[in-house]
Amino acid sequence: MSVRGWASRRDREERGWLRGAPPPLWVRVLPVLLLAVVSTATLVTPHARDLGFLLGAIPPLAVLSYGPLTTALLGVVVVAVLNIPATHLNRPGNTDLLTIVFVAVLSVFVSYVRSRRDAQLDTERAIGEAVQRAVMPPLPERVGGVACAGFYRAAQDGTLVGGDFFDVRDGPYGVRAVMGDVQGHGLSAVATVVSLLGAFREAVLDQPELESVAARMDRRLAVDSAGVRHGELFATGVLLEFSRDGRAVRVVACGHPAPVLLHERDALEVVVPPGPPLGVGLVGVDPPKEVTVPLTPGDRLFLASDGVWEARDSVDAFYPLPARLATLTGTASAELSGAVWADLARLRYEVRDDVTMLVLAPEPPAA
C-alpha cells in the first residue's frame, strides 16, 4: 500500500483495536480454543476436572470478540459441558453453577452494550473520514508539472485530522504548495486548518506574488481571532511556487522549517530568511522574504512538519532529517515519506507532534 495520503492501514489497525475495529485473530479464537482444550482434557482423563474453573472465563472472553447471540451460545455450551457426565464436571456445587450462569448472562448484556457502542463508533469514524476528505483531500499524483506524494499522521490518538496541513494547487501563476502547523492539536485545530486552506486556495488564483499569498493567510487568522476573548490564533507555514519550466522554485517561510532539497545524492536544507508566523499580523512588521532556488532535472523538495524535525531519541537529540534523507536519496518519491517514517521507528525516535511530510518533484515539460 502506498504511503501517499494518510497513515498506513497497519498503523491504523494497531491503534484501532478496542475503538471499534476488529480484534486480532487470536482474541477471537481464544474462547473457542479454551472451550475445546478444557472439554477434550476432561473427556480424556477424570484428573482434569480441576480445570473446570477455566470454563467460567469463556463468556467474558467472548465479549471482546463476539456479539450477544454468539456470547449467549458460548455461555449455554459452557453450562451444558458442566452437566455432561462424560466430562466429569457434572458435580459442580449449586453456588458455582449459579455463579457461572450469572457471569454468562452478564457477559451477554456487556456484549450487547459493546455492540451498540461499536456501531456508534463506526458511524462517527465514517463522519470523521468524510470531514478528512473535505478538509484535506488526498493529493493527486501530479499537480500541473509537479509530481506529489504526501504523508499525514495526527498526534492525537483516534483522530484523522490534526493541526498540520498541506496542499498543492495549480493556478495562473504556477503550481503553488503550502505546508503549515497551527496552534494546538487534534480537533481544536481543525477549524483553523479549514480557514487557512480556504485562504490559500483562494489566494492561489488571484495573488500574483507568493508573499501576497502569505499575507492573505495571515489576514484570515487575524480576522478569525478578532473579537475572540484571549484569541491568539497563529500558525507556522512555508509556501512554494514552481516556475512553469520547472527550473526554479520560490520559497517563503513563516516560522516553519524550510524545505530540504534532494539533489543527486545530497540533501541540503534550503536557506530561507525566517519570517514571523501567520496570524501575528504582517502589517507593521518585517514581512517574510522570498527566496528563489534553482532546480536541475531530478531535483526534489522534501517538506516536513515539526513532528519530524523535533522527534527526539533516548538522549533527547533531534532527528537529523537532512542527514537521514541523504541516505535515502535512492528511494522513489512515492515511497520516500514512508521510508522516513520507518527510519524514525527503526532508530527509536519519539514523535510528540502531528507528522506531515510532502515530496514535490518538478518535471520540466517535454521539448
Side-chain angles (χ1 to χ4, degrees):
M1 168 177 281
S2 173
V3 299
R4 291 193 318 108
W6 315 103
S8 67
R9 176 181 298 176
R10 178 180 178 183
D11 182 63
R12 290 198 303 269
E13 289 176 352
E14 289 175 350
R15 294 185 291 142
W17 183 45
L18 298 181
R19 292 204 316 271
L25 178 62
W26 67 268
V27 176
R28 299 196 296 269
V29 172
L30 185 58
V32 179
L33 181 62
L34 184 60
L35 177 61
V37 169
V38 174
S39 300
T40 302
T42 55
L43 288 172
V44 172
T45 172
H47 300 291
R49 59 175 176 265
D50 293 336
L51 299 177
F53 74 95
L54 294 176
L55 296 177
I58 291 176
L61 289 175
V63 171
L64 298 175
S65 307
Y66 302 107
L69 292 178
T70 304
T71 302
L73 177 61
L74 287 172
V76 171
V77 173
V78 167
V79 174
V81 169
L82 288 172
N83 288 276
I84 295 176
T87 63
H88 312 287
L89 299 173
N90 60 332
R91 295 180 183 176
N94 291 333
T95 302
D96 294 339
L97 184 59
L98 290 176
T99 300
I100 293 177
V101 171
F102 174 77
V103 170
V105 173
L106 183 61
S107 298
V108 172
F109 173 75
V110 174
S111 178
Y112 171 77
V113 174
R114 184 191 61 81
S115 299
R116 294 291 299 272
R117 184 207 62 177
D118 289 350
Q120 182 179 2
L121 287 177
D122 289 340
T123 301
E124 293 175 354
R125 185 177 294 108
I127 295 174
E129 290 175 353
V131 172
Q132 169 186 282
R133 289 191 294 269
V135 174
M136 290 180 55
L139 285 176
E141 294 184 359
R142 291 180 58 87
V143 176
V146 178
C148 310
F151 181 96
Y152 192 101
R153 184 182 188 275
Q156 183 174 336
D157 195 19
T159 61
L160 300 173
V161 180
D164 289 357
F165 63 93
F166 61 79
D167 199 5
V168 183
R169 296 278 166 161
D170 194 5
Y173 306 103
V175 176
R176 288 171 170 174
V178 64
M179 174 178 285
D181 183 1
V182 309
Q183 176 191 17
H185 302 286
L187 299 178
S188 61
V190 173
T192 307
V193 169
V194 172
S195 295
L196 284 173
L197 286 176
F200 169 76
R201 292 162 182 169
E202 181 181 357
V204 163
L205 300 176
D206 55 21
Q207 294 296 328
E209 302 295 335
L210 199 58
E211 297 96 328
S212 301
V213 178
R216 177 74 66 87
M217 298 173 68
D218 175 80
R219 187 181 67 179
R220 178 72 268 168
L221 282 186
V223 171
D224 289 347
S225 60
V228 179
R229 188 177 182 182
H230 305 301
E232 297 179 351
L233 293 178
F234 67 89
T236 63
V238 59
L239 295 96
L240 291 79
E241 178 183 295
F242 292 90
S243 61
R244 290 295 185 185
D245 58 8
R247 296 180 179 179
V249 60
R250 300 175 182 87
V251 184
V252 171
C254 301
H256 196 278
V260 178
L261 174 63
L262 278 67
H263 174 71
E264 297 180 349
R265 295 185 178 275
D266 296 326
L268 303 173
E269 185 176 358
V270 177
V271 179
V272 184
L278 302 169
V280 300
L282 299 182
V283 179
V285 300
D286 191 19
K289 298 296 190 294
E290 177 185 292
V291 171
T292 300
V293 180
L295 300 174
T296 59
D299 286 355
R300 295 176 290 175
L301 289 162
F302 187 93
L303 291 81
S305 64
D306 290 342
V308 179
W309 286 95
E310 297 181 0
R312 298 174 185 266
D313 61 9
S314 57
V315 297
D316 215 32
F318 289 124
Y319 180 68
L321 179 59
R324 298 307 304 164
L325 282 174
T327 67
L328 300 171
T329 53
T331 307
S333 297
E335 306 298 332
L336 185 57
S337 298
V340 172
W341 179 251
D343 192 56
L344 282 166
R346 183 177 61 84
L347 298 179
R348 298 185 179 181
Y349 276 82
E350 181 184 1
V351 177
R352 305 176 181 178
D353 203 347
D354 298 332
V355 170
T356 308
M357 291 178 274
L358 184 61
V359 183
L360 302 173
E363 301 177 358

